[in-house]
């Protein structure tokens, strides 16, 4: 269904350090650096058939997080969810909502962790139990 998810950043170097560490937990390597025709830099992380990107906003306005938006990253285990959370916090992210752990819902049992990246974007690490 999705080809990629891209988030804007106000500090590409800071975001690269954050996402190199956090996405490294999931097994993603270094991103592909792309320069748009406008001269703006975008970084594309590719792993397990998915692409996640960070970009300097092409319109030169400040990057802002989407209210009500969440980007969720699939994890292989509850331990990986916890590592994702801990690495995110250690690299400038902020833990939000309930502590990482299991949740019961109509969608089944899951292990979740929520953080905000350094630009305020809401991220979720999820493992379906």
């Amino acid at each position: 269904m999705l080809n990629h998810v891209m988030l804007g950043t106000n500090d590409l170097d800071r975001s690269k350090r954050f996402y190199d560490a956090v996405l490294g937990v999931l097994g993603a390597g270094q991103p592909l650096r792309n320069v748009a025709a406008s001269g703006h830099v975008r970084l594309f992380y590719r792993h397990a058939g998915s692409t996640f990107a960070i970009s300097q906003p092409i319109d030169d306005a400040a990057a802002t997080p989407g209210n009500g938006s969440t980007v969720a990253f699939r994890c292989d285990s509850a331990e990986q969810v916890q590592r994702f959370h801990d690495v995110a916090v250690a690299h400038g992210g902020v833990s939000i909502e309930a502590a990482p752990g299991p949740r019961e819902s109509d969608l089944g049992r899951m292990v979740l962790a929520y953080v905000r990246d350094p630009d305020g974007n809401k991220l979720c690490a999820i493992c379906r139990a």
Side-chain angles (χ1 to χ4, degrees):
M1 179 185 300
L2 300 175
N3 183 69
H4 68 278
V5 173
M6 182 180 291
L7 298 177
T9 180
N10 293 306
D11 185 333
L12 193 67
D13 292 333
R14 177 188 68 192
S15 286
K16 183 178 183 311
R17 286 189 301 273
F18 177 84
Y19 283 107
D20 282 357
V22 171
L23 299 180
V25 170
L26 305 178
Q30 287 296 301
L32 170 70
R33 185 177 188 272
N34 171 266
V35 180
S38 63
H40 296 85
V41 178
R42 304 177 287 197
L43 301 177
F44 291 87
Y45 293 85
R46 294 183 174 148
H47 177 67
S50 295
T51 300
F52 175 80
I54 54 176
S55 178
Q56 298 169 325
I58 302 297
D59 65 1
D60 290 323
T64 58
N67 186 22
S69 299
T70 303
V71 177
F73 294 92
R74 183 177 50 240
C75 294
D76 294 326
S77 66
E79 294 78 19
Q80 193 175 39
V81 168
Q82 186 68 51
R83 279 196 323 274
F84 181 103
H85 172 272
D86 294 347
V87 168
V89 170
H91 287 84
V94 176
S95 183
I96 59 172
E97 300 188 16
R103 311 283 199 283
E104 297 289 336
S105 78
D106 294 343
L107 302 174
R109 188 174 189 278
M110 297 171 271
V111 178
L112 301 171
Y114 289 97
V115 297
R116 290 208 181 268
D117 75 4
D119 284 294
N121 296 296
K122 185 177 179 182
L123 308 177
C124 174
I126 182 171
C127 174
R128 298 199 183 273

